[in-house]
Amino acid sequence: MGLVKPFAFMGSAPAGSTPDADAWIAQVISDGGSLTTTEQNAVKDLETDLRAITSGSDSLYDRLYAIYPIVGGDEASSKYNLKGAASSFTYTINYQGSWTFDGNGATGDGTSTYGDTLLSPAGVVTLNGSSGYAGISVGIYLTVNVQTPSGYDLGANEQSVIAGFGNTTLYANFKSSPGSYRTATGVVTGTGDLYYATHTVDGTGTTTGVKNATDEVIAGSSTFSTTESNTFYLGNDHRGASNPEYGNKGYGFAFIGAYIPGDYRTSFNNAVQDYNTALSR
C-alpha cells in the first residue's frame, strides 16, 4: 500500500474528540460565517470518519495535507482547511472572482473565478519529506456539473484533476505538460461523485484517476513534476499570470495530499459521501 510512516502522530486524537473540527467551526464563526447545528455536526463527523481510516500505524488523515469541507452558504465556511486547524490555519483558499456560496458549496461563474489553495506540488513534496509519505493526490466532490465553458477543477500548471472538460472524460495528470494526461471517457455524469488523481511517488511512478472508489483511469507510468511552484487553483488551472480555464462547476469538498493507497479508497469515498449526504447534497 505504499510507503508507511513509522508512526502517525497527526492522525491521532482522543476517542470521540474532534479538535480540528472544533477549531474550524470556531474560526468560521469568528470570521462572520454561519453554520447550522447540522453543518457543524457534519464537519465533526467528517473528521471522525477520516481519522478512523487506518492501517497499522498508517493513517489517511495524515496523508491529507489540505481538507476543505466547503460547507457553502458564505465564503467563510468554504475557505478554511480542516487539517491541522487545532494547531494553526494553513492553505486557506483565497477565492477570486464572482463565486456563488450556497447549499451546493462553492460554484464558479465560468468567466472570473478561481480559488488559490496556497499549496503547490513542490509544497506537497516538502510536506512528504516531513511526514514520511510520498506521491501526490488532488480531488474534488462535484455538486454542480456544468460543462460549458470547459474548466479545470483543481490545477497547478497542468498538474490537475479534471472532471469533464466540456465532456464526460476524467483527466488525471501530475506532469507540467498538457499531453501527459491519463484519461477515461464516459465517466463524469451527473453530480454527487468524488473525483481525484493520485500518483504513487515523488518522481516517476504510477498515476491513477479515481471516481468515488473505482480506478476509472487506467494506471500508467508518469513523472510527477516535483519542483512545480504554482499553487493549486480550485475551479481553474494556475499557469502563472494566465488562468484561462474558468469553470462553472460546484464543489462540496476538496483535498490535496500524498498518494492514497487502493485499500483506503472505499472508506475515503464513504466518508466524503456521508458528509455531503448529511448536508443534503
Side-chain angles (χ1 to χ4, degrees), residues 15 40 48 56 75 98 108 129 137 141 157 179 200-201 226 239 246 263 275:
Q40 292 183 37
T48 298
E75 184 174 342
S98 299
S137 301
Y141 178 89
N157 198 20
T200 51
V201 297
T226 57
R239 301 177 194 167
Y246 300 109
D263 54 355
Y275 167 70

Side-chain angles (χ1 to χ4, degrees), residues 9 16-17 32 35 45 62 66 88 124 135 201 205 233 257:
F9 62 94
S17 67
L35 293 168
D45 288 344
D62 284 356
S88 62
V124 170
V201 297
Y233 277 6

Side-chain angles (χ1 to χ4, degrees), residues 133-160:
Y133 291 120
I136 187 169
S137 301
V138 295
I140 52 90
Y141 178 89
L142 203 61
T143 58
V144 176
N145 182 9
V146 178
Q147 294 291 339
T148 304
S150 304
Y152 283 47
D153 295 302
L154 199 56
N157 198 20
E158 299 290 356
Q159 297 198 48
S160 61

